[in-house]
Amino acid sequence: MAVTDRSVILQTMAQHIESVTHHSISARTIRRRLQQSGLSARRSLLGLPLTQNHRRLRRYWCDERTMWAAEWNEVVFTDESRICLQHHDGRI
């Protein structure tokens, strides 16, 4: 369960195990067993860690474009997804 769904919480796993095996197990025991198997809890980053050079380059990029008005109408922003203008290949 933890391998297929990394967002599952320990209490949910404990309830699932109890419903299947009819034996109770603590969340702490599950955590220890997962750690023994090489799995551990991780929090996702809220943002990318930026170095001073990254910050300087971003500031430079923004400063270069502060006077843009009409140019922004020519910019396409994406979330790095594939965009097909001529045909549709079934992917979104």
Side-chain angles (χ1 to χ4, degrees), residues 48-52 54-55 58:
L48 294 174
L50 299 178
T51 65
Q52 288 295 349
H54 289 136
R55 293 171 200 234
R58 282 185 177 204

Side-chain angles (χ1 to χ4, degrees), residues 5-88:
D5 183 6
R6 296 298 299 259
S7 66
V8 70
I9 58 175
L10 293 174
Q11 288 78 12
T12 304
M13 289 180 65
Q15 291 170 356
H16 176 73
I17 291 170
E18 186 172 354
S19 70
V20 171
T21 64
H22 304 294
H23 290 89
S24 63
I25 186 169
S26 71
R28 181 153 173 78
T29 300
I30 295 171
R31 181 183 299 117
R32 282 197 313 265
R33 295 292 186 251
L34 289 173
Q35 286 176 341
Q36 288 172 354
S37 299
L39 297 173
S40 61
R42 293 197 174 109
R43 292 186 181 195
S44 60
L45 289 174
L46 296 178
L48 294 174
L50 299 178
T51 65
Q52 288 295 349
N53 190 42
H54 289 136
R55 293 171 200 234
R56 183 183 56 77
L57 291 172
R58 282 185 177 204
R59 178 60 186 250
Y60 175 76
W61 187 91
C62 292
D63 289 342
E64 289 289 312
R65 289 150 182 86
T66 55
M67 301 306 289
W68 278 20
E71 290 88 346
W72 284 117
N73 292 329
E74 303 296 321
V75 176
V76 175
F77 288 98
T78 70
D79 60 353
E80 309 228 354
S81 297
R82 181 180 169 136
I83 298 174
C84 297
L85 298 177
Q86 281 74 29
H87 67 281
H88 187 275

